[in-house]
Structures are given as structure tokens and as C-alpha cells.
Amino acid sequence: MEDMLYVAMGDSVKKNKSILIWALQNSGGKKMCIIHINQPATVIPMMGTKFPASSMKEKEVRAYRQIERQNKQKILDEYCRICGKMGVRPEVIHSDMDCIEKGIVELISQRGIRKLVMGAAADKHYSKKMIDLKSQKAIYVRLHTPPSCRIQFICKGYLIHTREGVLDEADVEVRSSQNSKPGSLNHLMTQSGGQNIGAAPSNAGRVSFYSESIASIDYTRGSRTDVSSLDGTEDPSTPKRRLDAQRGSDGCVESSTRYRPGSSYSTCSSSREVDTARNPSVRSEGTDNWLQSIELPHSNENLHHSSPPSVLDGSIDDTLYAKLDQAMEDAENARREAFQESERCGKAKKDAVEAMRRAQVSESLYSEEVKQRKETQEALAKEKEEIQKVKTQLNQVMEELQNALEKQSSLESQITESDEMVKGLELRMASAMELLQTYKKERDEFEAERDNAQKKAEELRRKQGEASSTKTPQFFSELLFSEIEEATRNSDPSLKIGEGRHGSIYKGLLRQTQVAIKMLHPHNLQDPSGLQHEVDTLRKLRHPNLVTLIGSCEEAHALIYEYLPNGTLEDRLSCKDNTPPLSWQTRICIATELCSALIFLHSYTPVSILHGDLTPAKVLLDANFISKLCDFGNCPPPSLDQSLKDNNITLCWRTELKGTTIAYLDPEFLLTGELTLKSDVYSFGIILLQLLTGRPPLGIAKELQFALDAGKLKTLLDPLAGDWPFEQAEQLAHLALRCCEMYRTNRPDLSSDVWTVLEPMRVSYGGSYSSSYLSSQEHSEPPSYFLCPISQEVMHDPHLAADGFTYEAKALSEWFDGGHTTSPMTNLKLEHCNLLPNHALRSAIQEWQQRH
């Protein structure tokens, strides 16, 4: 553990990268080990919110934990990649704990970690004056980690604080016992020193001081020593340099320590012990050679007659130090060879594992090949059986052929008899030809009469067509592909104004008129009949609150609609592009007009039309904020359910979920896979709740129900719409909740229940220009939007101008001929003077005129 540097890293690679780089630069060549404690999430995100893990299903929790493990592995791979760039291959220890700091302390205790690097605080807390820890995790680790571990706390690539580690009593006892073993260097020196008790006191002081200065660590039982001095960073020649520094001017060292027997030889022993404690290989391999090179004195007499050479007076030869350096070098070489051997062993183990893996792969391939061979043999056996069957069938065919030849001979004889019969029939045919001539004459007379009848019928059809064209003009046209490309500038992205599930919508100038061009997606073109079905449906529908289809281009797979400048209801409710919010009066009018359009579609004959994808994005607003429904007629013809409900057959559309927002979708559709007319009622109810509150659709019905029950409806009403009349707002809230009932049988009817509530509100609070299709059928006075803003008369040929208002074509032409280039309604300059026929409004005016 002392040769390993551990680094505690967090989840953010960006924030912890500086800690890892500091550790790599200051590792001193030690091995690296990355510690990562993962704290499992207690809440799991799902469907835009978070749920407690304890309330989730085990399968869902397992799936999320798997994602956590993958993310953790990516983080560890990134840390290893950073180490790899600096030439270090680290080890990795990771664990899952509910508390990160407790996990770090537990790992330190379990593995006996002696050196650790971790963060002191987040980078945002760093300052040059920072001298203490700012992280609660770092403070906890510093307080609870065993004292034997040395911890360095880093912040923003700087060392902020170091908690020095100390050796505990057990470690000191182990080192003391190793130094006192028989045969060890200290033991030998102590024995040799015991013979020097009679040495001259004059030398004892100097030698004793030399011994104490060399022995930088006192291995006494019960003492606690700083581990930082045992990390092997001190140069072996340090004791010698320290002695040289302590010498006086006369070459002697003043003695300030106690005299111990054998101190003249325990000096080298202590220095060697320190080095062997740092490097065990030196202790095992270099000690014996070094001891052999030292001649120990055997008697006190030698000390008296010839005093030993002393380093202090300069008489010791440097041979002893040379041998010591040689021993240390040999130990270093032995350690390096042992390390290389361990690397070779690890490589051999890896090669063995790889060989085992290859053997397993080969074994699996062999079993697969055996399986394939068995299957091939079975297939060959089956083919043999088939060949045998074919041979049997061939024999049967040969027998049938023989029978056919026999029948042929009999038929030839019958042919001969038939030839004789033919001659007789030819005579009869001659008489029949005469009758045929007579019949031809009669046929010619009948054909002439038929042609006359067809001409008369064609004339009647033409007259009827002219009469019907005066009532409902046929404006639908087939456009050229070149016109579509020119209008959209080859689908220029800057002209895109919308993206639907069926295609992209572009704003374009077609025949000098602003139009909206819907380019269908390629995946919607697999069924050409689908496009034709939508075109045939839309060209028959005329209603003031339905978007008008102007034309189509089959080659470009495009539909051309009238352009509505105020965008979708969804954009206006969210005030997109800083547009002003809709007033509550305008919202009541929009709800009434949307209800009118749905009633028209549901009551269409011979078969009702289901929208099936009703959202605020499908409701467009013109220049006067008149709402118009789009993207309808996409559902295929319905299938009749055999179950009768209230003596009426329920129409069911069996379809798939395609792009519909889940919040607007009928809940019964998720169970049955069938849409009904009441499915549109549910979507209408959600839109009505959004008009009231301005909130997102998900969960809005439950919020409003809780507010009504608690008497806090005013807190949910959209303040951007102005001051809602509370009674009407409460009435609309109850009506919307009825439309959003879970079961379709409990939802109200649009024409008898919803319309009777909305129409009186619109009449009381709606704007002067906003009206509806149904109300115009019940009053003799023409609606205000049937009148030309210039002449104030009912329009006969309504046209849409560049300002978004509809005028009588003749009156607007006279306005332009008078030299005006501004709008008669807004007095703003018009972008162009081109006009677009408003066929939907013309149809409504003509229908009103027929009724009144």
C-alpha cells in the first residue's frame, strides 16, 4: 500500500480533472489507483417527472441502475484515458454506497491505504488565501480516516491542505522487531558495540553523536512517528551530508547526545536500517554483502592500542560508502528485475486468459459447425424424401399420359363424326345469316334512337351543371410542379412556417397570391390513394371555420391552402415571438367557431368525418383571429360497430397512433384502438381547458377539478386573457370537464349540449367581426363578415387582400384604381395588390342567400 497512490475522483470529469493531473505530476513514480464511490439515485426520472425508487417496479429500477452503471463506466474510462496520455496505467476501485464520504473512509480502513489525494472544495470556492477545507466530504474524511493515512487535499490544481499520516504502535513494533532480530544489521552492530564498552571516553562523545545524527528515526516502543520520512524520497547519502554540515571548523562535531555502547558501529547500522525499511529488496539482498565488507573489533584492547579510524577526523576511507552505494544499486537492480518479472508474469497471465477465451470461441464455433452439419444432414434427408415423392408423381404422370393417348384416339374418331355434323350445320348457318341481316337493321335503328337519347341527356346534364355552378363555384385546380418549385424556392428552409406529421408547410407566392403549401413526407407517399382520398374529401367541404383547399399538385405531392397570417392557436396561447395574448372574448369566439366546425364535420353526409388529431396546432387564425380548422379528412372511411348504443349505430375508426399528442388522445382509444366522434369531443374539452387556463395540457383536467372542489378556480384562470367573468368561466370549466370524461358515453353532444352554452356567450361577449356558421342559419340578418368593409353590402365575389381582410372584388379594384396602395381597414401600406378568391366565404354567402 505504501508504493500505491490513491486518488478519490467524483462523477464530473471536468471538475475533477485538475485533481487527477496534480496527482499524476506529483506521484513520485508510484503506482496510481483511482477510487470512485457511486451514490445510487433515490429518485428515478420518468415521463418528465421524478419518482422515488422505492415506489417503482423492480424491473424499471434495474433498468435505470444499468444505465447508471454504464455512465459510471464511461466516467472511469475517461479517467483512465487521461492517465494513459501521461503514460500511467492506473488501477480502478469502484463501489456503490449511499454516502460517498463514508464509502471513502471504509475503503481506506479495509485496504490499509497510506496515501490519498482528494478534492478540498468545488473550484468556485478556490482563492489564493484558501487555507482550510470547504467541502463537507473532505472535512468528514479528514476527521474519520485512520491516522496512518496521509491525505493531500487539492483545489483547482493547487495543494490546499495536507493531513500528515503517522505510524501506529503496531507498525513501530514490527519495525523494531525486524531491527532486533538475530543476524540483522542492527543486531550485529549492537553485539559488536558491546565489546567497545571500555573505549576511551574521549572518542565516545563524538562517535555517539555521529550515531544519533545518522539514525533519523527512533524506533522506540509506544512512540508515533511521521510517515512522511519513510516514503523513500531521502537520498542514501543524506546522513553523510548531515554530518558534514554539523562539523565545526576544527573537523570535530560537538557531542550533545547520550553515549551508548557500540555507538561507533551502530552509526552505519542505523543508516542501513532506514534504507532497508524503505526498500525491502535492499534488506534481503544487500545486507549480507555489506556486512562481509565490515571488520568489527573483537576486544577493548584493540580500541586502546589502535583507535578506530573516525569519519569525524577525516581518517575513514570512503570504501565503506562505496560498498554501501554498490549494495543499494544492486538492490535497485534486483527490485527492477522483480518488477519486470511481475510484468512478464502479468502478460503471461493475460496471454493465458486470451488463449482460454480463444479456445472457448473455437469450441463454440465447433459446436455451431456440428449443429449446422446436423441441420444439413437433416435437410439432405428431407430432399431425398422429396425426390422419392417426385419420382412417384412422375410415374403417376406417365400413367395419366398413357390414358390421355388412349382418349386421343377415341376423340379422333369423334372428330370424324363431328365433321359430318359440321356440314349439316353449315346449311343451317346459311339460313341463320339471313336472319342476322334482319337483326342488324333493327339494331342500327335502336342505336340511332339511343344516340338521340344520349344527346338529350347530355344537354340536360350540362344545363344542370351550369345551374349548380352558379350555386357552388368550382375553384379547385391542378397546379404544375414548376409552379410549386418556384413558389417555395425549391423548398427553401427560410420559407418553412410549420412541420406536421404528414409534411412540411411553406409560405409561398403562387400566381401573385400568398398561399400555404403543404409538401407531404416521403413515407406518406407509399399509398397514392391516401393523397387522393384527402384531396377528394377536402374539395367537397365548405365552411367558414375550415381551412380552404385551393389546389394540389400530384407530381410534387403538394396541397395548396389559403394563407392565414396569425399562425396556430398553440403559438398564440404561448405568445410565441412576443405576440400579444388573446383576450377572453376572443377565446370564447374561438371555442364557439371550433365547435361549429366540428358539428359540421360530424354531421356531414353520407358519412360523418372524424378529425382524429385535434390539437391547438391544428387550429389556425386569420388576420381577424377567426379560427379555421385544418388537417382533417385524414382518417379512412369508418367501420360500423355492431353494438347499438341509444338505438344509434356507433361509428368507429380503427387506426393507429400517428403523431397525436397523448394529452389530447381519447383514453378509450388506448384500450380499444378505436376512435369515435366522441374522441373529438375529448380533444375539444382539453383545448377549452387551455383557453381558460393557458396551461400545458398534461394533467390539466385534474388540476381544474381540484381547483373547483377547493373553490380556487380564479387561481387557475389565465391572467393574460384579462378579467374573466367568473360565472361564465365557471360554466365553461364544468362544460370542459364533461367533455373530458374518461368514458365516451358520459361526454356531452356538441350540437345539443356544447353549442347551446357557447353560442349565447359569444353573442354576449364576442367581437363584432367574429361569428359562426350555425348562428347565420338562424337569423335573417346577414353576418357582419358577409359585408364588404368598403361598401357595407353583402359580397358576391369576395376576395382576400394582402392585409388579411376580405373585400368585394369590384370595390377593392376601384380602391386600387383610385391610386390607393394602403389597406382600407388598417391604413398600412400593402405588400402587393394581388387578390385571392375566398371560395369558402362565397359558398357560405350563397348558402345563406338561398335560405333567406
Side-chain angles (χ1 to χ4, degrees):
M1 294 303 172
E2 294 180 356
D3 294 334
M4 182 75 72
L5 180 61
Y6 293 81
V7 187
M9 307 300 293
D11 290 336
S12 176
V13 178
K14 182 178 179 181
K15 294 180 180 179
N16 293 275
K17 183 178 179 180
S18 60
I19 301 174
L20 183 59
I21 293 176
W22 187 93
L24 290 169
Q25 293 174 348
N26 296 272
S27 64
K30 291 182 173 60
K31 296 181 182 179
M32 295 287 296
C33 181
I34 296 174
I35 297 176
H36 181 267
I37 305 299
N38 178 52
Q39 186 175 15
T42 57
V43 291
I44 296 177
M46 183 174 289
M47 298 178 65
T49 185
K50 294 183 178 180
F51 299 94
S54 58
S55 64
M56 302 292 291
K57 295 181 179 179
E58 183 180 357
K59 182 179 180 181
E60 297 173 347
V61 174
R62 270 202 314 272
Y64 187 77
R65 296 298 183 222
Q66 181 64 24
I67 296 174
E68 280 188 339
R69 286 193 290 273
Q70 293 175 358
N71 295 336
K72 178 178 70 177
Q73 189 60 42
K74 291 180 182 178
I75 294 172
L76 295 177
D77 292 344
E78 182 65 20
Y79 286 141
C80 293
R81 187 184 64 81
I82 295 173
C83 295
K85 287 184 178 181
M86 301 186 71
V88 176
R89 186 170 64 183
E91 297 181 8
V92 177
I93 299 176
H94 58 85
S95 177
D96 293 337
M97 293 287 290
D98 294 334
C99 182
I100 295 176
E101 53 268 30
K102 290 183 179 179
I104 296 176
V105 172
E106 184 176 339
L107 278 178
I108 292 174
S109 300
Q110 290 177 353
R111 296 179 175 267
I113 295 175
R114 295 300 181 90
K115 294 182 178 63
L116 176 69
V117 177
M118 66 177 295
D123 290 349
K124 63 181 180 181
H125 295 299
Y126 172 76
S127 66
K128 293 183 178 179
K129 298 181 180 180
M130 182 177 176
I131 59 175
D132 203 358
L133 304 181
K134 300 294 184 180
S135 169
Q136 295 298 326
K137 294 183 178 65
I139 294 172
Y140 182 89
V141 173
R142 181 181 66 180
L143 294 177
H144 295 83
T145 304
S148 61
C149 181
R150 182 174 187 255
I151 309 176
Q152 294 174 298
F153 297 93
I154 311 301
C155 184
K156 210 170 185 178
Y158 295 95
L159 177 62
I160 302 301
H161 177 75
T162 301
R163 198 205 75 165
E164 297 292 351
V166 294
L167 288 174
D168 54 18
E169 297 179 1
D171 292 335
V172 173
E173 290 178 3
V174 172
R175 294 180 182 269
S176 300
S177 63
Q178 290 177 351
N179 293 332
S180 61
K181 285 181 180 180
S184 65
L185 184 59
N186 269 3
H187 184 70
L188 292 175
M189 290 302 172
T190 303
Q191 288 179 350
S192 62
Q195 299 173 2
N196 298 330
I197 295 176
S202 59
N203 294 332
R206 284 193 287 176
V207 176
S208 174
F209 178 78
Y210 179 53
S211 172
E212 290 294 326
S213 62
I214 292 295
S216 59
I217 299 175
D218 186 9
Y219 295 104
T220 345
R221 179 177 299 273
S223 64
R224 305 183 67 87
T225 308
D226 192 351
V227 183
S228 60
S229 63
L230 302 176
D231 58 357
T233 57
E234 187 175 2
D235 189 74
S237 62
T238 299
K240 182 180 179 181
R241 288 200 301 269
R242 191 183 295 125
L243 275 179
D244 294 339
Q246 290 178 351
R247 281 181 185 163
S249 58
D250 58 352
C252 297
V253 181
E254 296 181 0
S255 175
S256 60
T257 60
R258 66 185 181 275
Y259 172 77
R260 290 183 299 179
S263 60
S264 60
Y265 294 99
S266 63
T267 298
C268 298
S269 170
S270 301
S271 176
R272 186 65 180 180
E273 272 187 289
V274 173
D275 191 65
T276 55
R278 294 172 191 158
N279 196 337
S281 62
V282 175
R283 186 186 299 118
S284 60
E285 297 179 11
T287 302
D288 297 336
N289 296 332
W290 182 74
L291 285 174
Q292 294 174 3
S293 66
I294 300 176
E295 295 180 359
L296 299 177
H298 296 285
S299 66
N300 295 334
E301 185 179 357
N302 293 334
L303 290 175
H304 290 288
H305 295 287
S306 60
S307 59
S310 174
V311 177
L312 300 179
D313 56 10
S315 61
I316 283 185
D317 193 0
D318 289 338
T319 306
L320 179 63
Y321 291 105
K323 292 182 179 181
L324 176 62
D325 292 341
Q326 181 64 35
M328 293 179 63
E329 184 177 356
D330 294 341
E332 180 66 21
N333 293 335
R335 186 186 64 81
R336 188 180 298 108
E337 291 176 0
F339 179 72
Q340 293 175 355
E341 182 65 24
S342 65
E343 282 189 344
R344 285 194 294 270
C345 183
K347 185 177 179 182
K349 289 182 180 179
K350 186 183 296 184
D351 293 341
V353 172
E354 181 67 19
M356 291 177 65
R357 187 186 67 79
R358 291 179 180 175
Q360 291 176 356
V361 172
S362 300
E363 185 178 354
S364 62
L365 291 175
Y366 175 74
S367 61
E368 184 68 22
E369 184 177 354
V370 170
K371 182 179 178 181
Q372 292 180 358
R373 172 183 266 179
K374 185 176 180 181
E375 292 176 353
T376 304
Q377 291 176 353
E378 292 177 355
L380 288 174
K382 291 181 179 179
E383 289 180 359
K384 289 181 180 179
E385 293 179 358
E386 292 294 334
I387 292 173
Q388 188 63 31
K389 292 179 181 179
V390 170
K391 288 182 178 179
T392 305
Q393 293 177 358
L394 181 60
N395 294 334
Q396 294 177 357
V397 170
M398 293 299 294
E399 293 177 0
E400 293 176 357
L401 179 61
Q402 185 66 28
N403 296 332
L405 292 174
E406 294 176 357
K407 290 182 179 180
Q408 181 181 3
S409 60
S410 62
L411 289 174
E412 288 177 353
S413 61
Q414 293 177 5
I415 289 172
T416 304
E417 296 176 357
S418 299
D419 290 339
E420 297 177 355
M421 293 176 64
V422 167
K423 293 179 180 179
L425 293 173
E426 286 178 351
L427 297 176
R428 296 180 182 178
M429 190 179 295
S431 60
M433 290 297 293
E434 296 177 359
L435 293 173
L436 181 61
Q437 293 297 329
T438 304
Y439 293 150
K440 284 184 178 181
K441 291 179 181 179
E442 295 177 356
R443 184 197 62 186
D444 293 339
E445 294 175 357
F446 289 145
E447 287 179 352
E449 294 177 359
R450 183 197 62 187
D451 293 339
N452 293 332
Q454 286 179 349
K455 288 180 181 179
K456 293 179 180 180
E458 188 67 28
E459 185 67 21
L460 290 174
R461 282 198 209 95
R462 186 179 60 79
K463 292 180 180 180
Q464 291 177 355
E466 291 176 355
S468 61
S469 63
T470 58
K471 297 179 181 179
T472 305
Q474 298 296 326
F475 61 93
F476 191 84
S477 59
E478 185 72 20
L479 302 172
L480 299 177
F481 181 78
S482 58
E483 292 180 293
I484 302 300
E485 283 189 326
E486 182 180 357
T488 61
R489 298 180 198 165
N490 293 326
S491 301
D492 187 359
S494 63
L495 297 178
K496 183 184 286 190
I497 60 176
E499 182 77 23
R501 65 188 176 97
H502 296 295
S504 302
I505 304 174
Y506 296 85
K507 177 183 177 182
L509 189 65
L510 185 63
R511 299 180 182 177
Q512 304 302 318
T513 304
Q514 290 286 352
V515 294
I517 302 174
K518 181 179 180 181
M519 307 290 289
L520 299 180
H521 288 319
H523 63 267
N524 290 324
L525 306 178
Q526 298 176 358
D527 184 14
S529 62
L531 175 63
Q532 189 61 38
H533 170 71
E534 185 174 355
V535 171
D536 294 339
T537 302
L538 296 179
R539 68 188 299 181
K540 297 175 184 177
L541 301 178
R542 295 292 177 269
H543 189 277
N545 300 119
L546 296 180
V547 175
T548 304
L549 180 66
I550 298 175
S552 67
C553 178
E554 185 176 359
E555 184 179 1
H557 301 289
L559 299 175
I560 296 88
Y561 297 90
E562 61 177 322
Y563 175 71
L564 301 176
N566 275 325
T568 66
L569 176 60
E570 183 180 37
D571 294 340
R572 299 290 74 77
L573 286 177
S574 61
C575 298
K576 185 179 180 181
D577 299 329
N578 294 324
T579 54
L582 299 174
S583 65
W584 61 268
Q585 295 94 336
T586 304
R587 299 187 188 199
I588 291 176
C589 293
I590 290 173
T592 308
E593 292 160 356
L594 183 58
C595 179
S596 173
L598 290 176
I599 292 173
F600 174 80
L601 293 175
H602 292 180
S603 60
Y604 188 81
T605 56
V607 179
S608 299
I609 296 177
L610 172 73
H611 191 287
D613 190 16
L614 183 59
T615 64
K618 304 299 189 299
V619 180
L620 304 179
L621 302 175
D622 65 4
N624 298 311
F625 294 96
I626 302 298
S627 62
K628 297 195 175 187
L629 188 60
C630 69
D631 221 3
F632 51 88
N634 295 318
C635 291
S639 59
L640 294 179
D641 192 1
Q642 298 300 324
S643 62
L644 298 179
K645 299 180 180 179
D646 298 334
N647 297 326
N648 294 322
I649 296 179
T650 301
L651 295 178
C652 296
W653 284 260
R654 304 184 188 277
T655 183
E656 296 178 358
L657 185 61
K658 295 180 179 179
T660 305
T661 305
I662 193 70
Y664 300 94
L665 188 63
D666 183 359
E668 287 198 357
F669 171 77
L670 300 176
L671 299 176
T672 62
E674 296 177 346
L675 293 174
T676 65
L677 298 179
K678 288 299 181 71
S679 300
D680 284 347
V681 176
Y682 182 91
S683 303
F684 174 79
I686 298 295
I687 295 175
L688 188 55
L689 290 177
Q690 286 189 274
L691 290 172
L692 278 171
T693 63
R695 293 172 178 261
L698 191 63
I700 189 174
K702 291 184 179 180
E703 291 183 23
L704 192 65
Q705 185 64 57
F706 291 153
L708 285 173
D709 295 340
K712 298 181 181 179
L713 177 61
K714 288 186 178 180
T715 60
L716 285 184
L717 296 178
D718 191 357
L720 298 178
D723 295 328
W724 284 87
F726 183 77
E727 293 182 0
Q728 281 71 18
E730 188 175 17
Q731 190 177 8
L732 287 176
H734 285 291
L735 180 64
L737 290 176
R738 288 180 58 200
C739 294
C740 297
E741 284 288 338
M742 180 68 68
Y743 300 103
R744 57 175 67 120
T745 55
N746 297 332
R747 298 169 196 161
D749 182 74
L750 288 177
S751 58
S752 61
D753 298 327
V754 181
W755 173 258
T756 55
V757 176
L758 293 177
E759 175 59 12
M761 288 187 186
R762 186 203 61 77
V763 174
S764 301
Y765 301 104
S768 60
Y769 190 82
S770 177
S771 182
S772 66
Y773 180 76
L774 295 181
S775 62
S776 66
Q777 298 177 355
E778 300 174 358
H779 301 84
S780 59
E781 293 296 328
S784 59
Y785 62 89
F786 283 2
L787 304 179
C788 176
I790 299 176
S791 63
Q792 295 299 318
E793 296 179 354
V794 177
M795 291 179 286
H796 297 281
D797 188 14
H799 277 67
L800 188 67
D803 58 359
F805 292 91
T806 301
Y807 305 89
E808 177 66 34
K810 183 177 180 182
L812 194 59
S813 298
E814 293 176 354
W815 173 269
F816 290 148
D817 293 341
H820 297 89
T821 59
T822 58
S823 168
M825 295 294 292
T826 63
N827 291 328
L828 299 176
K829 185 175 179 60
L830 296 173
E831 295 181 2
H832 56 81
C833 297
N834 303 318
L835 302 179
L836 177 66
N838 194 335
H839 300 291
L841 185 58
R842 180 188 300 172
S843 301
I845 293 173
Q846 290 176 355
E847 185 175 353
W848 178 85
Q849 288 174 342
Q850 291 175 2
R851 286 186 169 89
H852 306 283

